[in-house]
Amino acid sequence: MVREGGISSLYRGLLSPQAGFGVTFAISFAGYGQGTRFFRKGDNKRELTLGEMTASGAWAGLLQSPARQIFERIKSVMQVRKAAGGADKPPYRWSGECLVQLVRKEGLYNGLFRGLDATALREVPQFAVYYPLYEMNVRALQKMMAASNASGSSSNESNIVHRKPSSSTPLPPHLLLLAGGVAGTVQWLPPFYCLDVLKSRMQSALPGVYDNVWDCAKKSYQQEGIGVFFRGLPVALIRAFPLNACIFLGYETTLAALHQEEEIPHLPPPE
C-alpha cells in the first residue's frame, strides 16, 4: 500500500472520522444515559440489571447509527475507491469534496445513507454488549479494590476517579483503562466484526453492486469464501483496546473534573 500510494495512503479518509468520532460518541453516551435514566426512574444509586444495561446500550447504538453512517460512508469511499484510470489515489481530493460529490451524483439518501441498514445492524448489538461489559468490568474491579483496601493495601488518593453509587469503590485511571479496553476489544470480535465487513463493502461499493445486506453477504461469500468476513480482524482488535480504553478514561475523568465538589454518577452523566 505504501509502495504504490506513498505514506499518505495510510491516512486516506482521516478527516471524516476525525470530525465525526466526537459527534457519534456524544450521541452514544447521551443515548445510553437516556436509557439508564428511564430504567432508574430517578434513583441514580440503583445498580442496573444486565437486561437494563443491554437495552440501554442497544438504544444508544440505534441512536448513533445515522450520524456514524454519514461519516463512515465518506471514510469508506475515500479509503476503498480509486481515482479514474485505476491509479492508487483517492477518488476525491478531500472528504468535503467526497461528501458534496456523493450527494450530487447519487442524491441525498443514496449518497450519504447507503448501507445504513448494515450500520444499524452492527451498532445495535455492538453497543448492547459494549456498555454492559464496561459496567460489569468496573463492578468487578471495584470489588477487587475493596478487598485490597480491606486487607490493608493503600492507593494514591490523588489518582482516584470517584463515582456513584457512593458506596462503590473509586478506581484509579489504569483500571478504568483496563475496563474500557476489554469492553472495546470484545465488541469487535466476530460476529460483530463480520457485520462491519458487510457495512464497509456496502458503503464503498458503486451504485447497483449490492441490493441489501443479505445480497452483500451472499455475493461476498460466493466470490471470496468465508475468509472475507474476517479479513483485517487482527488490526481491528489491536486498535480496539487502546482506543476504547482512552474513550472511557476520558469520559470518566472529564466528568470528575467538571464536578469535583460533588459525587459524580457513573454512566449516565448527570442531567
Side-chain angles (χ1 to χ4, degrees), residues 36-47:
T36 56
R37 284 192 294 273
F38 173 80
F39 288 113
R40 282 192 169 111
K41 301 185 186 305
D43 183 5
N44 287 332
K45 292 187 177 182
R46 183 177 75 83
E47 284 194 345

Side-chain angles (χ1 to χ4, degrees), residues 217-239:
K218 182 172 63 174
K219 289 179 179 176
S220 298
Y221 175 75
Q222 290 172 343
Q223 295 168 6
E224 302 177 54
I226 192 67
V228 69
F229 301 111
F230 304 93
R231 189 177 299 160
L233 176 60
V235 175
L237 295 179
I238 291 170
R239 182 197 70 161

Side-chain angles (χ1 to χ4, degrees), residues 12-218:
R12 186 180 299 170
L14 179 62
L15 179 60
S16 182
Q18 271 190 320
F21 210 75
V23 173
T24 55
F25 263 95
I27 296 171
S28 178
F29 276 112
Y32 185 73
Q34 183 184 49
T36 56
R37 284 192 294 273
F38 173 80
F39 288 113
R40 282 192 169 111
K41 301 185 186 305
D43 183 5
N44 287 332
K45 292 187 177 182
R46 183 177 75 83
E47 284 194 345
L48 297 173
T49 66
L50 178 59
E52 290 169 340
M53 291 187 291
T54 300
S56 299
W59 174 243
L62 182 64
L63 283 182
Q64 73 167 0
S65 292
R68 187 174 289 272
Q69 159 65 28
I70 294 173
F71 294 114
E72 293 200 358
R73 163 76 160 146
I74 295 169
K75 180 195 72 172
S76 295
V77 170
M78 289 290 292
Q79 290 179 340
V80 177
R81 290 189 190 178
K82 295 183 178 181
D88 191 21
K89 295 182 179 180
Y92 306 105
R93 290 172 296 178
W94 67 297
S95 297
E97 181 187 9
C98 178
L99 184 152
V100 171
Q101 291 300 321
L102 284 174
V103 173
R104 186 178 69 83
K105 294 177 180 178
E106 302 180 33
L108 181 62
Y109 182 80
N110 287 329
L112 298 183
F113 293 98
R114 184 190 305 147
L116 177 59
D117 52 347
T119 300
L121 190 61
R122 182 197 69 177
E123 296 294 288
V124 171
Q126 260 196 334
F127 282 84
V129 170
Y130 184 60
Y131 285 115
L133 183 55
Y134 175 71
E135 294 277 14
M136 290 188 292
N137 289 342
V138 166
R139 292 178 188 179
L141 291 170
Q142 285 173 334
K143 290 179 181 178
M144 292 174 58
M145 283 282 294
S148 177
N149 293 340
S151 67
S153 299
S154 60
S155 58
N156 186 348
E157 182 67 21
S158 65
N159 290 330
I160 293 295
V161 178
H162 293 272
R163 65 214 0 254
K164 279 185 178 178
S166 58
S167 60
S168 65
T169 304
L171 292 178
H174 71 277
L175 292 183
L176 291 175
L177 286 169
L178 177 62
V182 170
T185 302
V186 170
Q187 76 155 347
W188 280 103
L189 291 172
F192 308 116
Y193 182 77
C194 305
L195 295 171
D196 182 70
V197 170
L198 296 176
K199 175 205 71 73
S200 297
R201 290 191 156 223
M202 290 188 67
Q203 288 176 336
S204 61
L206 294 170
V209 175
Y210 303 117
D211 296 330
N212 48 50
V213 179
W214 173 247
D215 184 55
C216 178
K218 182 172 63 174

